[in-house]
Amino acid sequence: MPNKRVLVVDEESAFTRLLQDDLEQRAISVACVYSPGDEKGAMAFAPTAVVIDKEILANTSASLIQSFGNISHKLPLVLMTGADAKLTQDASDPVQAANAQIVATIAKPFEPNVLAELIDEYAEVSQQTILESEYISALIASNRLLDNLVVEFQSKHALTDGRVVGYEALSRLKTRRAISPATIFSGATDINLEIAATLNVVDQVMKLAGLLKGRGKGVPVSFNCSAILLTRSDFVDALCSRLQRHGNLSRSVVMEITEENRVANIRVVAEICHILSRYGLKVSIDDYGTGHSNIDRIAAISFTELKLDKEIFWAFCDDLLPITIIESIIDFCHMRGATMVVEGIETPFHLEKARLLGADQGQGYYWGHAIPPQYLVRDWCGSPV
């Protein structure tokens, strides 16, 4: 679909995270460059406009901007933090060499709508389709995928009173926050990269679970795991080793088995889940209602939590799915002694509908977006993993 793509070159901060999220909600695709090694990803993104910090442009990023010099039209460029006379008067400056044109200067911090209006005015609508997988491939080729992955945590709430009853770790690309983990870890991504990334998330989950428990605020913390990883002995051995080392976190860590296109032997997965449960790991079935293997999964795997996919829940909210179907799922879940979690609760109406179903817990933007762990525990950066 034709769209506008904005490349932001700046230091990583809460401001740039907010900027990415806001512009994406306005249907403006955003990629960021935080490190010199991210140029290949930037080129694969093929921006139609560039927003760059003035000091970074002057000191470190001339080569990045010059890499856009072969583009047939002048890229509109917005300078952040103010104008620099040399950048507009010196014909040899990096902007001139890059076939770019300064169209505005804005002082940070600014409201995202200010930048959105500039992009709307100056950036061309691209007819070129850029697949998210192409961006991922560029990061992998430049060995920058793992360095660009960060972990954020979304709260889980009791539907009865709204109290926090857990957190879910979510992998994000800090340079392109809009790309989902399902795209990052697809069949095109090397399995060893996925193993390394997932184990990194596990480490962050155990760290948060331990810190919360030490402060008397212990709640379960979960991580996502593709079923295919559970058929890999190297991953399972590494996970068992971590669980054994952190035996004090028994029942505090939850593994959410995600739905995906890669088919794994469900009997093997069920057996591994049983082994992991001996180490105190709780098992959740994620994305229930999507894909083709959910019936097999809930029949074979001993789970303690079932998560109803948001699209299924929204279909019920829109009267496209009868309540009896979802009630039967919840009854089955409760019969197994498991907790039922509804995903995609974003409005008071959604909350009312989830309560009507008789589900136990909920997740969604109604309670806020996922946040970095340092906002949950103040001394996160000073604590060992």
Side-chain angles (χ1 to χ4, degrees):
M1 183 175 70
N3 67 342
K4 297 184 177 183
R5 294 188 293 273
V6 180
L7 181 70
V8 177
V9 184
D10 199 359
E11 294 182 349
E12 184 184 3
S13 65
F15 172 70
T16 52
R17 288 196 299 271
L18 169 66
L19 190 63
Q20 280 196 66
D21 293 343
D22 190 281
L23 292 179
E24 290 283 354
Q25 290 178 1
R26 300 170 189 266
I28 299 173
S29 297
V30 184
C32 289
V33 170
Y34 297 129
S35 302
D38 294 333
E39 286 95 339
K40 287 187 178 179
M43 289 299 294
F45 181 65
T48 58
V50 177
V51 180
I52 189 167
D53 182 90
K54 181 187 66 174
E55 289 188 21
I56 292 178
L57 175 61
N59 297 330
T60 61
S61 296
S63 61
L64 171 66
I65 298 300
Q66 289 169 4
S67 65
F68 299 111
N70 59 354
I71 295 177
S72 58
H73 60 279
K74 280 187 176 295
L75 277 176
L77 187 147
V78 176
L79 280 179
M80 294 185 286
T81 72
D84 187 323
K86 289 195 300 182
L87 292 178
T88 56
Q89 295 174 5
D90 186 350
S92 64
D93 72 66
V95 175
Q96 296 291 335
N99 196 28
Q101 177 183 13
I102 297 175
V103 296
T105 58
I106 49 179
K108 292 189 296 184
F110 51 84
E111 292 297 326
N113 66 290
V114 173
L115 180 57
E117 291 173 1
L118 289 171
I119 299 305
D120 184 59
E121 180 177 358
Y122 292 106
E124 293 186 3
V125 175
S126 174
Q127 301 299 320
Q128 181 182 5
T129 300
I130 302 297
L131 300 177
E132 292 179 340
S133 58
E134 296 178 30
Y135 182 79
I136 298 296
S137 296
L139 289 184
I140 293 173
S142 55
N143 197 30
R144 291 291 299 164
L145 181 64
L146 290 180
D147 288 339
N148 274 310
L149 282 175
V150 294
V151 181
E152 297 182 351
F153 293 87
Q154 186 173 41
S155 57
K156 186 186 303 179
H157 296 258
L159 291 178
T160 52
D161 55 14
R163 59 192 168 85
V164 175
V165 293
Y167 293 97
E168 178 185 358
L170 300 173
S171 294
R172 291 282 184 266
L173 270 178
K174 60 185 178 183
T175 52
R176 281 217 64 194
R177 291 173 54 80
I179 297 182
S180 72
T183 301
I184 300 171
F185 303 118
S186 64
T189 303
D190 181 79
I191 193 71
N192 291 311
L193 270 177
E194 183 176 354
I195 288 174
T198 302
L199 289 175
N200 174 63
V201 175
V202 171
D203 290 336
Q204 305 306 307
V205 163
M206 289 183 168
K207 179 178 177 179
L208 179 61
L211 289 172
L212 290 174
K213 188 174 182 179
R215 288 158 177 72
K217 300 179 181 179
V219 293
V221 185
S222 65
F223 66 93
N224 293 327
C225 179
S226 61
I228 203 72
L229 288 192
L230 295 176
T231 65
R232 290 281 303 241
S233 60
D234 48 352
F235 172 76
V236 175
D237 289 346
L239 181 55
C240 287
S241 176
R242 284 164 167 78
L243 292 169
Q244 191 170 24
R245 190 165 65 248
H246 296 278
N248 63 315
L249 298 179
S250 178
R251 313 294 291 175
S252 295
V253 177
V254 183
M255 177 177 66
E256 297 188 13
I257 303 176
T258 57
E259 176 60 47
E260 56 172 334
N261 293 327
R262 294 175 294 178
V263 179
N265 187 316
I266 195 62
R267 293 185 182 276
V268 173
V269 172
E271 182 179 348
I272 295 301
C273 287
H274 179 67
I275 293 172
L276 292 171
S277 68
R278 296 174 186 169
Y279 291 89
L281 182 69
K282 296 163 68 174
V283 175
S284 171
I285 306 295
D286 198 12
D287 306 317
Y288 185 81
T290 63
H292 59 274
S293 61
N294 284 288
I295 297 299
D296 291 341
R297 292 188 181 201
I298 65 173
I301 298 173
S302 180
F303 60 90
T304 59
E305 177 186 87
L306 188 67
K307 302 185 75 173
L308 184 69
D309 183 75
K310 70 178 183 180
E311 299 297 339
I312 303 299
F313 173 60
W314 287 351
F316 159 69
C317 292
D318 293 337
D319 296 324
L320 301 176
L321 197 65
I323 189 173
T324 52
I325 292 179
I326 300 185
E327 282 182 331
S328 65
I329 297 170
I330 296 175
D331 288 344
F332 174 78
C333 184
H334 289 162
M335 185 176 63
R336 294 279 296 265
T339 301
M340 186 69 185
V341 182
V342 174
E343 297 183 295
I345 298 177
E346 299 186 358
T347 66
F349 174 72
H350 286 157
L351 180 59
E352 180 183 349
K353 284 289 192 178
R355 287 173 172 165
L356 177 65
L357 287 171
D360 305 293
Q361 300 172 3
Q363 274 184 269
Y365 295 153
Y366 176 80
W367 293 285
H369 290 254
I371 59 175
Q374 55 266 35
Y375 296 129
L376 295 175
V377 284
R378 291 184 179 178
D379 58 342
W380 173 267
C381 295
S383 301
V385 177

